[in-house]
Structure formats: structure tokens, C-alpha cells
Amino acid sequence: MLILLLGCAACSTQAHDPARKDAPAASAPVAAPAPGGDTLARIRAVIGEASCTHSGQCRTLPIGAMACGGPESYLPYSESRTDEKTLRALGEQYKAERLAQNKASGLMSICRYMTDPGAVCTSGSCQLGGSSPSAPSSPVAR
């Protein structure tokens, strides 16, 4: 994973040509926010701190959509402190936004299925990594 991140960082860096005069920062184009970014922020707000007293309260939400299918990642949440109906609706909205973005950009991804890591209560907060059958997640459409 570290190698992948370093490779991406290397591809996005540019050599600086001291002879080239850069345009003033004020006239530089402002990048538009990434599609779905607001929805992801709303998901995180609904989840909040994901506080818990035991692992039975912890669940996972599949997040986004890889171009080849399946979720991009999972977020842990506490069922006792989260409006699950709202959270699932936002999760589906974000998935649809990511699918549309993938289609529009022609994005490709590795065809690797990301399994649900489950969630457990650790130090009063739901964390990824339990894979407990008592903590089902939302089904992911394939």
C-alpha cells in the first residue's frame, strides 16, 4: 500500500523550472470539489464518534464503488448511536455518485474484492477489524 501511495505521489509531482514564471496564485484556476465529497462528509457526520460499550453495537457501512465492482472501503459505526436508515440512504447515494463518476471518467480499477472487515468495540469506539458474524453489514449489490 505504501509503495502505491509513493508511486501516486511521484506521478503528481512536477519538476520546477526556475526560468518559468508562474502565474500569480489569484489567477490560478480553483479545483472544483470532488463529486461525492459532500456526501461522504455527511456520512461521517451521521456516524459521529461511533461510541460503543460492546462489540454487538458495532457495524460496518460499505463506502463508494470501485470501477470493477464492490465497495472502495468500509466505515465502522455504532448502531446504538446512529440513525441507520439515514446512514444507509447516504451510503447508497455516495455509491451512486462514485459509480457515475467512474463511468464518466472511464476510470478502471483492480478487480479485487474487498471483504467486509467487520467492526469491534475498542476503547469505547467502533473500529474496523472484527469480522464477527454477529455484526452483519449492508448487502453490496454486484
Side-chain angles (χ1 to χ4, degrees):
M1 182 66 102
L2 181 60
I3 293 172
L4 178 63
L5 291 173
L6 290 174
C8 289
C11 291
S12 65
T13 60
Q14 297 176 0
H16 181 68
D17 180 4
R20 189 178 123 206
K21 299 291 181 193
D22 290 331
S27 65
V30 176
D38 190 41
T39 304
L40 185 56
R42 290 173 53 205
I43 289 170
R44 291 184 190 279
V46 169
I47 290 174
E49 294 185 25
S51 57
C52 58
T53 56
H54 59 86
S55 292
Q57 296 172 325
C58 298
R59 303 286 187 266
T60 55
L61 177 72
I63 294 295
M66 291 198 302
C68 200
E72 296 171 48
S73 63
Y74 291 85
L75 287 177
Y77 69 93
S78 173
E79 67 157 357
S80 66
R81 308 228 191 303
T82 304
D83 177 354
E84 287 188 279
K85 184 177 180 182
T86 299
L87 183 62
R88 290 175 196 261
L90 286 169
E92 287 299 316
Q93 178 182 338
Y94 185 66
K95 177 182 174 182
E97 290 169 359
R98 294 294 292 150
L99 285 170
Q101 183 182 22
N102 291 345
K103 185 177 180 180
S105 69
L107 184 69
M108 297 177 68
S109 70
I110 58 171
C111 293
R112 187 185 106 221
Y113 178 72
M114 181 176 287
T115 58
D116 184 340
V120 293
C121 185
T122 305
S123 300
S125 179
C126 292
Q127 305 290 322
L128 292 179
S131 289
S132 168
S134 66
S137 67
S138 304
V140 177
R142 297 269 167 236

